[in-house]
Amino acid sequence: MSPQDIRMSGFESRSTVDEALAWIDRAVQEIPEQVEEVSLELSHGRTLAERVVSQIDVPGFDRSAMDGYAVIADETTGASDYNPIRLQVVGDSMPGNGYSGEIRSGQAVRTMTGAPIPSGATAVVPAEYTEAVGDNVLVSLTVGQFKHIGRTGEDIRIGATVVDAGRILRPQDVAVIASIGQAKVSVRKQPLVRVIITGNELVRPGEQKRPHQIYEANSSLLSGTIPRDGGILESVRFIEDSESAIRNALLEPGADVILVSGGSSVGAEDFAPGLVAQLGELPIHGVAMRPSSPTGLGRISNAMVVLLPGNPVSCLCAYDFFAGRAIRQLAGRSKSWPFRTIVLPLGRKIASAIGRTDYCRVRVEAGKAIPLAISGASILSSTTRADGFVIVPADSEGLPAETPVTVLLYSELFMAN
């Protein structure tokens, strides 16, 4: 048995969760930032790589904020329902087609919302305070200087930063970039993530299952979490438990992150850890946490590799703790958890052990966090019954009932009872 081969011999020691997270953060920093230019239509949800600076004023001209009449503001002084001011209507100003002349004393120009303000006008009287009488208009409202006028550059000034680098672009961010006439933006490239599923006992949904086989679910789990964290699913490879097949899937170029589901522990057919160590490096194998203790972290060439346990809850836990954190950072996002949180008292105690981090699924009920399970790494349905999870830190022997805990919620749509 080679020094890298610990199959059937167990873990001599396990890294702490903090050590594993620190390795991920260092490894990500060593990977050069990748940037690409995309059209605005494709930029939603992407991380902006360079700040966007406006080359124009928005609006680029004084424009009407109301349907009504452009006037000289001082000439409306004293106007009321009982003392309307009569002005001569000399033309119209419409969006995209302004009045070409100049307003003089005693004149008004009919104007629509968004239309340019005629030269000489200093306010707009809303239509509801006017009455058209032939070629004239009766104004029954006193308006101040620049009332109901959108001034040049009042939204955005030339040279202003519209959106800072690092922003995950929301629809309103993309819209404001469009408003300055910019058709493309520089964004962080999304990491390409390959999922390798191992296990001769696995059958894909829809296929015939033999006795003692189980339907494979982890690819469905990971294909949803990867885009959530800003990655692109490069491919899903269903690989037999053989050294050569796993080796080929690991070495094939094209992925920035490789997730191996199953075969990450020390069983006789757990080939992945030894292969990663042989082909690159595997500085983290075995983490002091429950579930997900067989997790491994390493690199092959420029690709980061995360070995995920095959048990579904362990797979989800290891992904959320480690793989998701790496993918988010490579995509230019925050390394922090992507979950909304609430603080609630525990409904009953959680038992743990010093030196081990626990991931405990909880249900929110009657304003309390009710622990469902810590063990039971193969009970995937526990995650659907749960509203979220609680992390019990390694320096704790557990948490007694009524302890305030931070619940990380699985769903953004969750509404607490």
Side-chain angles (χ1 to χ4, degrees):
M1 184 177 292
S2 71
Q4 298 290 351
D5 190 349
I6 62 171
R7 287 178 295 162
M8 304 307 293
S9 63
F11 294 98
E12 290 186 6
S13 63
R14 288 181 170 88
S15 302
T16 67
V17 168
D18 286 343
E19 289 169 343
L21 296 177
W23 182 87
I24 285 175
D25 295 345
R26 288 194 304 271
V28 167
Q29 293 302 314
E30 294 170 5
I31 298 174
E33 181 179 304
Q34 299 185 62
V35 174
E36 63 181 345
E37 191 174 58
V38 300
S39 67
L40 288 187
E41 291 77 12
L42 299 177
S43 68
H44 294 275
R46 301 291 297 275
T47 302
L48 193 64
E50 300 174 1
R51 68 180 181 137
V52 176
V53 177
S54 180
Q55 304 302 312
I56 63 171
D57 286 323
V58 179
F61 53 90
D62 287 356
R63 60 185 179 182
S64 177
M66 304 287 287
D67 294 335
Y69 291 85
V71 299
I72 297 171
D74 289 346
E75 294 191 344
T76 67
T77 301
S80 69
D81 290 338
Y82 303 104
N83 182 38
I85 304 296
R86 182 181 292 267
L87 299 172
Q88 180 187 10
V89 179
V90 294
D92 298 299
S93 183
M94 301 294 175
N97 186 22
Y99 178 70
S100 59
E102 180 178 353
I103 287 185
R104 300 185 184 279
S105 179
Q107 296 180 337
V109 169
R110 187 181 299 106
T111 185
M112 301 296 112
T113 302
I117 298 297
S119 176
T122 56
V124 172
V125 179
E128 55 266 35
Y129 297 100
T130 66
E131 180 184 353
V133 181
D135 292 336
N136 297 308
V137 62
L138 298 179
V139 174
S140 59
L141 179 70
T142 299
V143 289
Q145 292 284 328
F146 306 113
K147 186 70 172 178
H148 304 307
I149 291 178
R151 305 299 305 278
T152 300
E154 73 171 6
D155 188 358
I156 300 168
R157 286 285 187 185
I158 290 177
T161 296
V162 175
V163 186
D164 274 317
R167 171 76 63 85
I168 298 175
L169 292 173
R170 304 165 297 175
Q172 59 266 44
D173 300 320
V174 176
V176 80
I177 295 170
S179 78
I180 64 171
Q182 187 166 316
K184 296 183 177 182
V185 287
S186 293
V187 295
R188 290 284 295 271
K189 277 192 174 181
Q190 295 177 276
L192 298 174
V193 184
R194 178 177 304 153
V195 173
I196 298 174
I197 304 293
T198 68
N200 293 336
E201 77 282 9
L202 301 177
V203 177
R204 298 174 68 175
E207 296 181 355
Q208 188 64 39
K209 180 173 71 69
R210 298 196 307 270
H212 312 298
Q213 288 187 311
I214 59 174
Y215 286 115
E216 189 278 320
N218 287 353
S219 63
S220 298
L221 173 72
L222 298 171
S223 63
T225 55
I226 290 164
R228 177 198 73 190
D229 289 318
I232 294 176
L233 183 64
E234 182 250 13
S235 63
V236 178
R237 314 290 179 90
F238 297 92
I239 304 296
E240 63 182 5
D241 283 328
S242 79
E243 228 174 329
S244 60
I246 297 172
R247 177 192 296 269
N248 291 339
L250 289 171
L251 286 177
E252 185 176 331
D256 301 301
V257 179
I258 300 173
L259 307 181
V260 183
S261 169
S264 68
S265 190
V266 294
E269 293 190 334
D270 290 344
F271 299 112
L275 286 169
V276 175
Q278 180 186 54
L279 301 171
E281 62 167 330
L282 187 68
I284 304 287
H285 187 212
V287 181
M289 62 190 301
R290 182 174 62 166
S292 308
S293 65
T295 297
L297 305 172
R299 280 184 293 199
I300 297 176
S301 188
N302 292 322
M304 185 174 294
V305 182
V306 182
L307 304 180
L308 304 171
N311 281 325
V313 178
S314 292
C315 179
L316 175 61
C317 174
Y319 176 90
D320 279 339
F321 265 86
F322 308 116
R325 184 184 182 100
I327 292 169
R328 287 193 296 276
Q329 291 185 78
L330 290 172
R333 299 186 176 189
S334 169
K335 63 187 177 184
S336 302
W337 294 99
F339 305 110
R340 188 164 62 90
T341 62
I342 54 175
V343 176
L344 296 171
L346 271 179
R348 59 173 177 266
K349 71 175 183 179
I350 299 175
S352 186
I354 293 287
R356 183 187 69 208
T357 299
D358 280 339
Y359 167 98
C360 179
R361 285 85 75 196
V362 298
R363 184 180 70 254
V364 175
E365 188 175 287
K368 293 189 176 184
I370 310 298
L372 295 181
I374 294 180
S375 59
S378 62
I379 310 300
L380 181 57
S381 63
S382 68
T383 61
T384 63
R385 295 195 304 273
D387 294 309
F389 61 96
V390 169
I391 299 170
V392 182
D395 60 359
S396 170
E397 289 187 295
L399 302 172
E402 301 301 326
T403 301
V405 293
T406 298
V407 180
L408 292 92
L409 297 169
Y410 285 132
S411 175
E412 281 293 320
L413 302 178
F414 172 80
M415 297 295 290
N417 293 328

